Amino acid sequence: MMHKINNIKVLSFLIPIMVLFSSCKNEFKGCEYVAYFGGEIVNPNNPYVLFCKDNEVIDTLKLDKNNRFFIQFDSLAPGLYSFKHEPEYQYVYFDKNDSIMVRVNSKDFDESVVFCGRGDQKNNFLMEIYLKNEKDRNKMFEFFDDNFEDFSKGIDSTFAKETAFYTKRKEEIKWSEDFDVFAKASLNFNYYSKKELYPLIHRIRTGEDMIEKLPANYYDYRKNIDFNNVALSNYAPYVTYLSHMLNNMGTINYHNHFTEEDLALKTNINKMTIADTLIKNEKVKNSILNNIAFTYLLEDQNMTNNNKFLDTYKKLSTDKSKKNEINTICNAIQMLKVGNELPHVSLTDVEDNEVSSTTVTKPNTVFFFWTEKARSHFEAVHTKAMALKNKFPQYNFVAININDSKEDWKKTLRKYNFKDITDLHCSDFEDIKNKWAINKIHRTIIIDSKGVIKNAFANIFDSQFEENLK
């Protein structure tokens, strides 16, 4: 019912495009791979939509004055693509001659995605199963506390319902076998991920080690997984599952023998070694190795351990491309060493004046990051910063907003009274990501009394954070 309502809501902007499709029907009759993609972004964050394949941008689509975009591809290979309206993205699948329109509200991105046109039903199915998985994931943690019998009963019951939903929609839509690879992956890998996570999270939350108590056939589902499936190499449910599996398989049981930093190093090298053994297809293996490296390198930094990690990564990965994001992160991390000056990025103040980060990087400065989309975090981090300002008045606290439009940033600030905090906005997320290695808001950068980096990978909520300010 909800999707019928949403379809009515977008009908007004779809009608002109559908007329175009109809009028072009005969003209493109001989072009077997002609495809159309268009839509509308409500409350856009920026004036572009990126159309991508395997994380590579195929085309940059500019929004018109009505925040709509449209493109014709004379030859588009069937398969899974993605569209990005930074910082969000979603997938879209094209069969031969599909003509797909999408409507998205950037303020509620995933929940607002609605597809229309030829090929819409299978794409709306992917969104439905994605949202079901997200809702399921948000309430899963309480189930990880359960004993094995209750946990298994709970996830098996949910999986049975989702399988029935998948089977019903497959029969109704009659989608292709190529698309079914992604449909089944969305269903199965969410279930498999829960099984991989259970022994790890159960031990963290309850202190009970389940490894020796699991049934002998607990991981039998792994036997049916194709670890070299190129089609899925950049598909989030598959990559996420492999990450969980490698976290599970790479766990070091004698963890009390190592420091926290050394344990992280040994665990992640172990994960990469297992991936190298298990996955033979270079494209899939490189994707997984990059995922492991990306996650590890953005945790709290130990430069000696980083170099050891990268030595192993470079031996195992065959991804030597200049576009390899790991190289960008490594370069940024090297620039963020203790004692270095913080690289320059452009920022904006509330008066719309461009501000160089160099001018606000004074001796004794703390940079922290936030977005309106993570409301509980941005309220908590500002509150924490104000408390620290009272305790350490010699420090300047600079809050940098990322991922929100200038208008939304200013609107949010007007609702609050954050005293003694300098609030700035970053319009170029790629620039700050590449230079300051920022890909998440849970980062804090500390500048010492000499105006150079003291700790570029701190966390303001860490129990030991104040030691950095003394």
Side-chain angles (χ1 to χ4, degrees):
M1 181 64 181
M2 181 59 68
H3 284 280
K4 290 181 179 179
I5 294 173
N6 285 333
N7 285 341
I8 292 172
K9 287 165 66 177
V10 299
L11 186 61
S12 60
F13 94 89
L14 287 175
I15 289 174
I17 302 301
M18 300 316 291
V19 170
L20 174 63
F21 289 164
S22 178
S23 64
C24 292
K25 184 176 180 181
N26 292 328
E27 183 179 350
F28 295 112
K29 188 173 181 180
C31 304
E32 290 193 355
Y33 295 99
V34 168
Y36 304 88
F37 182 55
E40 178 182 8
I41 306 293
V42 180
N43 299 310
N45 295 322
N46 57 70
Y48 298 98
V49 171
L50 303 179
F51 187 69
C52 308
K53 176 70 172 173
D54 295 335
N55 294 326
E56 295 288 331
V57 176
I58 294 176
D59 217 322
T60 300
L61 312 178
K62 195 174 189 311
L63 301 181
D64 66 16
K65 63 181 180 179
N66 297 312
N67 297 327
R68 297 170 185 171
F69 63 94
F70 179 75
I71 189 169
Q72 172 192 319
F73 295 99
D74 290 336
S75 179
L76 188 69
L80 189 73
Y81 295 80
S82 63
F83 62 96
K84 297 182 179 181
H85 184 66
E86 298 287 4
E88 307 285 357
Y89 79 96
Q90 264 301 343
Y91 296 105
V92 56
Y93 188 93
F94 281 84
D95 275 317
K96 186 171 65 173
N97 290 137
D98 275 351
S99 302
I100 297 172
M101 306 298 293
V102 63
R103 186 177 192 270
V104 184
N105 188 329
S106 69
K107 291 185 180 297
D108 197 17
F109 194 92
D110 293 328
E111 289 77 6
S112 68
V113 173
V114 180
F115 294 98
C116 294
R118 188 167 59 244
D120 63 338
Q121 291 187 29
K122 58 181 177 287
N123 282 292
N124 282 324
F125 167 81
L126 283 185
M127 283 308 306
E128 285 182 83
I129 203 74
Y130 169 82
L131 293 174
K132 284 176 182 288
N133 289 342
E134 284 297 296
K135 184 178 179 181
D136 183 41
R137 189 176 295 114
N138 290 336
K139 63 181 182 181
M140 265 307 298
F141 276 88
E142 60 190 77
F143 294 103
F144 291 126
D145 293 349
D146 291 346
N147 60 49
F148 174 74
E149 290 74 19
D150 290 343
F151 168 76
S152 292
K153 183 178 179 181
I155 67 167
D156 288 348
S157 174
T158 300
F159 184 58
K161 291 176 183 177
E162 292 182 347
T163 301
F165 172 70
Y166 155 81
T167 302
K168 178 183 177 184
R169 297 298 285 146
K170 182 181 180 182
E171 291 174 353
E172 292 172 346
I173 299 172
K174 302 186 186 309
W175 56 59
S176 67
E177 287 302 311
D178 287 339
F179 174 78
D180 196 50
V181 171
F182 299 98
K184 282 195 290 193
S186 296
L187 176 73
N188 292 338
F189 289 114
N190 182 57
Y191 174 64
Y192 298 159
S193 287
K194 295 175 191 176
K195 294 178 76 74
E196 298 289 347
L197 286 168
Y198 176 66
L200 298 176
I201 297 180
H202 186 82
R203 184 174 65 184
I204 292 171
R205 291 174 65 92
T206 70
E208 181 184 15
D209 192 339
M210 292 294 300
I211 299 298
E212 303 297 329
K213 301 177 183 179
L214 296 173
N217 65 347
Y218 182 73
Y219 294 111
D220 277 1
Y221 58 89
R222 290 177 181 170
K223 299 174 183 177
N224 299 318
I225 296 172
D226 179 3
F227 295 110
N228 296 287
N229 193 322
V230 177
L232 295 175
S233 60
N234 288 290
Y235 191 45
Y238 178 73
V239 175
T240 299
Y241 166 73
L242 291 182
S243 297
H244 292 323
M245 184 196 72
L246 291 168
N247 282 339
N248 196 356
M249 296 176 72
T251 298
I252 296 173
N253 292 324
Y254 301 104
H255 51 277
N256 292 331
H257 296 184
F258 306 105
T259 64
E260 185 176 340
E261 292 82 4
D262 287 348
L263 177 63
L265 172 65
K266 291 179 181 298
T267 299
N268 281 279
I269 286 179
N270 201 22
K271 286 158 55 177
M272 288 197 295
T273 303
I274 294 170
D276 182 57
T277 302
L278 192 65
I279 304 170
K280 301 305 178 185
N281 182 276
E282 284 193 1
K283 184 175 181 180
V284 179
K285 182 171 70 175
N286 285 337
S287 176
I288 299 304
L289 291 176
N290 287 349
N291 185 268
I292 295 170
F294 188 80
T295 303
Y296 174 75
L297 291 171
L298 290 170
E299 297 301 323
D300 291 348
Q301 292 301 305
N302 179 307
M303 291 301 175
T304 301
N305 284 355
N306 270 355
N307 290 331
K308 292 178 182 177
F309 174 87
L310 288 170
D311 285 344
T312 302
Y313 168 80
K314 289 174 182 177
K315 288 177 183 176
L316 301 181
S317 174
T318 58
D319 184 359
K320 310 301 181 185
S321 69
K322 292 181 180 179
K323 294 182 179 180
N324 186 347
E325 196 166 7
I326 305 306
N327 292 330
T328 302
I329 293 171
C330 292
N331 292 336
I333 290 172
Q334 292 300 314
M335 295 297 291
L336 297 172
K337 287 181 179 178
V338 174
N340 282 5
E341 293 184 355
L342 190 64
H344 163 267
V345 297
S346 294
L347 305 166
T348 308
D349 65 18
V350 291
E351 303 297 329
D352 288 332
N353 298 312
E354 187 170 315
V355 178
S356 168
S357 61
T358 306
T359 63
V360 292
T361 309
K362 304 172 183 177
N364 294 332
T365 299
V366 174
F367 291 95
F368 61 94
F369 306 87
W370 65 279
T371 172
E372 194 272 337
K373 295 176 177 64
R375 182 173 294 274
S376 60
H377 171 267
F378 97 73
E379 291 177 347
V381 74
H382 276 84
T383 301
K384 179 72 173 179
M386 288 189 291
L388 289 170
K389 177 66 176 177
N390 287 332
K391 195 168 183 178
F392 300 93
Q394 72 274 28
Y395 274 87
N396 306 297
F397 287 82
V398 180
I400 298 180
N401 175 270
I402 55 177
N403 293 346
D404 298 327
S405 67
K406 283 185 183 179
E407 293 71 22
D408 287 343
W409 167 60
K410 292 179 184 178
K411 184 178 179 181
T412 301
L413 286 180
R414 286 195 291 268
K415 298 177 183 177
Y416 296 85
N417 182 23
F418 297 130
K419 295 181 180 178
D420 300 320
I421 304 292
T422 301
D423 265 292
L424 300 173
H425 180 263
C426 176
S427 299
D428 191 346
F429 178 71
E430 284 300 311
D431 188 50
I432 201 169
K433 182 180 77 170
N434 292 337
K435 292 180 179 177
W436 291 8
I438 301 293
N439 87 315
K440 58 183 179 180
I441 54 177
H442 298 284
R443 270 277 300 286
T444 310
I445 298 174
I446 303 169
I447 305 300
D448 70 11
S449 59
K450 297 179 181 178
V452 295
I453 295 170
K454 185 174 185 178
N455 188 342
F457 296 90
N459 185 333
I460 201 169
F461 294 109
D462 191 292
S463 60
Q464 303 299 315
F465 179 78
E466 291 186 18
E467 294 300 314
N468 291 285
L469 306 183
K470 294 178 181 177

